[in-house]
């Protein structure tokens, strides 16, 4: 999946239809970060922004109309020099109107050397008050409430900070936390949304989805390859059908393997399998790591003993090399000290004479 980052309104005003077409692509998240900074044209002009509030509205309205499930994030700066109470009310009304799921609210901070640093500042107490008020307005929204109980396709990309959940994202880049095996990292799956929070969702991966089946098939296939023919080198010949796995006919090369591939629709089905350009998916990498780890731990006691002896020999050789380096360093330091003392003695002797 590809996620488009941040863009200011002037850069996409003339390309909204093309941007919408990109965001509708099945491999692109329907998410875009478009900073507005203020709901007042007067403040935007003071900021030297090259757009107006109406142009920001045009971007949001057009994308939400052309892209199903479009999610937009924005930024707001509270207390920019010269911002009046009326200007701030316009900002609050803009946020209330669109109820965007993500609004990054910050207080104005004068950076040294910028024109804004020389402008008349809004009192700090007022800036903090406006920031708290806008935060309260924003946190009153429940943008994800309607998703509870629905089934969403999620792309699982990382492990959550709690070490228990995996982090997935919907097509709209909404974060979904699920409990699933690490082997699902780098895959997509259907998940039922069980609970909704202010910033993320919790879900359950539906058993029997394509991703889970593929993970099991890949693991079984990897185990068979490791047991039966781990070192076989033959020419790879691949064939594909519309939306099934890339099947390897004949044999495989150790350097190039034909990995299973899943597609969203017939239009995404691969027409042929690449040779040296074929790359492994993160899923297959994880499965193979698990298989290799299992193969190593299932060795005989003799192999384990031999491996331990080799490890001890390596450690011993490393210790001997380190000792030699340390003694050599001490010898060089001692010789340098003696030389300096001799030079100093000679200098003092000649000076006194």
């Amino acid at each position: 999946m590809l996620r488009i980052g941040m863009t200011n309104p002037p850069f996409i005003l003339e390309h909204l239809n093309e941007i919408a077409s990109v965001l509708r692509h099945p491999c692109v998240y329907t998410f875009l970060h478009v900073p507005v900074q203020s709901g007042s044209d007067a403040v935007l002009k003071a900021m030297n922004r090259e757009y107006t509030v109406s142009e920001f509205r045009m971007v949001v309205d057009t994308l939400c109309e052309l892209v199903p499930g479009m999610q937009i994030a924005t930024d707001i700066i509270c207390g920019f020099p010269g911002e009046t109470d009326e200007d701030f009310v316009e900002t609050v009304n803009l946020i209330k109107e669109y109820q965007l799921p993500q609004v990054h609210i910050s207080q104005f901070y004068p950076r040294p050397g910028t024109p804004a640093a020389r402008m008349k500042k809004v009192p700090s107490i007022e800036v903090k008050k406006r920031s708290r008020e806008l935060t309260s307005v924003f946190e009153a929204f429940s943008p994800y409430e309607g998703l509870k109980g629905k089934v969403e396709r999620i792309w699982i990309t990382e492990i959550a900070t709690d070490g228990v959940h995996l982090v997935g994202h919907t097509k709209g880049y909404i974060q979904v936390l699920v409990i699933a095996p690490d082997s699902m990292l780098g895959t997509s799956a259907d998940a039922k949304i069980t609970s909704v929070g202010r910033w993320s969702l919790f879900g359950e991966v539906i058993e029997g989805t394509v991703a889970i089946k593929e993970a099991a098939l890949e693991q079984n296939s990897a185990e068979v390859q490791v047991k039966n023919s781990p070192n076989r080198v033959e020419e790879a010949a691949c064939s594909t059908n519309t939306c099934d796995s890339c099947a390897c006919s004949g044999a495989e090369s150790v350097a190039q393997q034909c990995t299973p591939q899943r597609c969203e629709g017939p239009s995404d089905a691969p027409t042929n399998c690449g040779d040296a350009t074929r790359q492994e998916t993160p899923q297959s990498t994880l499965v193979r790591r698990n298989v290799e780890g299992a193969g190593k731990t299932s060795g005989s006691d003799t192999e384990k003993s031999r491996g331990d002896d080799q490890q001890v020999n390596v450690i011993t050789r490393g210790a001997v090399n380190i000792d030699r380096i340390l003694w050599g360093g001490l010898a060089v330091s001692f010789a340098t000290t003696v030389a300096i003392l001799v030079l100093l003695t000679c200098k003092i002797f000649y000076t006194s004479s």
Side-chain angles (χ1 to χ4, degrees):
M1 295 294 290
L2 175 70
R3 179 171 67 90
I4 301 178
M6 184 195 73
T7 179
N8 286 304
F11 304 131
I12 60 172
L13 278 172
E14 299 179 0
H15 314 286
L16 289 178
N17 289 330
E18 291 80 3
I19 292 293
S21 177
V22 171
L23 292 171
R24 289 195 300 266
H25 192 280
C27 293
V28 179
Y29 290 111
T30 54
F31 171 87
L32 192 60
H33 183 185
V34 187
V36 64
Q37 307 298 0
S38 175
S40 168
D41 285 337
V43 175
L44 292 178
K45 185 176 181 180
M47 291 180 177
N48 287 327
R49 301 281 168 177
E50 299 176 351
Y51 57 89
T52 62
V53 177
S54 61
E55 290 174 334
F56 171 78
R57 290 175 180 271
M58 182 186 301
V59 170
V60 176
D61 293 342
T62 303
L63 292 181
C64 289
E65 178 183 355
L66 298 179
V67 183
M70 184 68 200
Q71 298 285 316
I72 292 180
T74 194
D75 298 343
I76 295 291
I77 297 176
C78 294
F80 189 84
E83 183 185 62
T84 64
D85 291 339
E86 291 75 16
D87 295 330
F88 178 68
V89 169
E90 291 185 49
T91 299
V92 173
N93 291 337
L94 180 70
I95 299 303
K96 284 182 177 179
E97 177 183 352
Y98 283 97
Q99 296 191 14
L100 300 176
Q102 294 186 35
V103 179
H104 308 128
I105 302 170
S106 62
Q107 302 175 19
F108 172 76
Y109 175 80
R111 286 191 298 174
T114 61
R118 299 189 295 269
M119 297 179 181
K120 185 178 180 181
K121 301 177 181 60
V122 178
S124 299
I125 296 177
E126 183 64 25
V127 174
K128 293 179 181 179
K129 176 184 175 183
R130 293 176 183 178
S131 176
R132 286 194 297 267
E133 180 181 345
L134 186 60
T135 301
S136 298
V137 170
F138 167 66
E139 291 182 347
F141 306 149
S142 300
Y144 306 136
E145 194 65 35
L147 294 176
K148 185 175 182 180
K150 290 188 175 181
V151 175
E152 294 284 336
R153 191 73 173 178
I154 63 172
W155 284 261
I156 302 172
T157 56
E158 57 186 314
I159 300 175
T161 54
D162 61 7
V164 177
H165 294 85
L166 297 185
V167 179
H169 292 90
T170 67
K171 182 72 161 61
Y173 206 67
I174 303 172
Q175 181 174 273
V176 181
L177 301 178
V178 297
I179 296 179
D182 291 355
S183 60
M184 293 194 67
L185 287 168
T187 68
S188 63
D190 291 330
K192 182 177 182 180
I193 308 303
T194 56
S195 63
V196 177
R198 181 61 185 84
W199 305 103
S200 60
L201 313 176
F202 288 88
E204 294 179 352
V205 175
I206 297 178
E207 297 294 335
T209 56
V210 175
I212 296 179
K213 289 180 179 179
E214 287 182 351
L217 289 174
E218 289 182 4
Q219 185 169 358
N220 293 336
S221 176
E223 289 175 352
V224 171
Q225 291 175 8
V226 170
K227 291 180 179 178
N228 297 336
S229 56
N231 298 318
R232 186 175 56 188
V233 180
E234 297 176 357
E235 183 179 1
C238 302
S239 61
T240 58
N241 50 30
T242 56
C243 195
D244 293 329
S245 300
C246 175
C248 289
S249 61
E252 304 175 330
S253 170
V254 173
Q256 57 184 38
Q257 295 181 355
C258 184
T259 56
Q261 210 176 45
R262 185 179 52 77
C263 18
E264 297 293 338
S267 61
D268 299 322
T271 56
N272 53 57
C273 293
D275 294 332
T277 57
R278 172 69 64 184
Q279 295 182 355
E280 302 172 356
T281 61
Q283 167 66 20
S284 61
T285 303
L286 288 170
V287 171
R288 192 171 61 257
R289 285 179 181 172
N290 293 335
V291 172
E292 290 175 353
K296 291 179 181 178
T297 56
S298 62
S300 64
D301 294 338
T302 304
E303 293 176 349
K304 290 181 180 178
S305 177
R306 186 181 302 119
D308 292 341
D309 293 340
Q310 292 175 354
Q311 185 176 5
V312 170
N313 292 334
V314 171
I315 294 173
T316 304
R317 289 197 299 270
V320 171
N321 292 334
I322 292 173
D323 289 342
R324 290 177 178 175
I325 293 172
L326 290 176
W327 281 112
L330 288 174
V332 172
S333 299
F334 179 76
T336 304
T337 304
V338 171
I340 292 174
L341 290 175
V342 170
L343 290 175
L344 287 175
T345 303
C346 293
K347 185 175 182 180
I348 293 171
F349 176 76
Y350 286 117
T351 303
S352 61
S353 60

